[in-house]
Amino acid sequence: MDGSPTTKQRSPRIVGKYKGYKGDYCCVPGCTNSRGSCNRLGLKVAFYQIPSNPQRRKLWLQRIRRGEVDEHGRIVPFIPKSHTRICSQHFIGGT
């Protein structure tokens, strides 16, 4: 020890702004539910993955009505990724 004050090393995950895992987010337009915020508030909300079955997948994507308009005014279809989720509040009986 050289007599200088020691500084505790911080984890690279929390240096500056915290960018840690906050959980899944619901992909339905206008929904702000995330697994992290629902857990903090004590809400019982489940997050479901979009089905891989082509018929069910197509039905789910039609029901959430998510698409974007390109610069030419055409609707670009939403292509979900493996981590895309929908929260239980968008299902009958969902809490």
Side-chain angles (χ1 to χ4, degrees):
M1 301 259 265
D2 60 357
S4 63
T6 59
T7 57
K8 188 175 182 178
Q9 290 288 347
R10 296 181 81 189
S11 168
R13 255 181 101 185
I14 58 174
V15 171
K17 291 186 179 181
Y18 182 73
K19 295 183 181 179
Y21 179 74
K22 294 183 182 176
D24 298 317
Y25 290 86
C26 182
C27 72
V28 175
C31 184
T32 59
N33 286 338
S34 71
R35 189 178 306 273
S37 66
C38 290
N39 285 344
R40 280 190 300 279
L41 296 172
L43 302 174
K44 301 278 186 186
V45 178
F47 288 82
Y48 300 103
Q49 189 172 8
I50 306 251
S52 58
N53 175 296
Q55 293 170 334
R56 293 192 82 181
R57 183 181 188 91
K58 182 178 179 181
L59 179 63
W60 280 37
L61 293 175
Q62 287 173 344
R63 298 266 170 99
I64 64 172
R65 292 185 222 131
R66 180 171 173 170
E68 297 186 19
V69 179
D70 67 6
E71 64 274 0
H72 303 292
R74 296 178 293 211
I75 295 179
V76 179
F78 171 62
I79 301 172
K81 297 186 166 92
S82 62
H83 60 273
T84 301
R85 300 285 187 266
I86 298 175
C87 76
S88 59
Q89 292 192 341
H90 304 288
F91 294 89
I92 296 173
T95 52

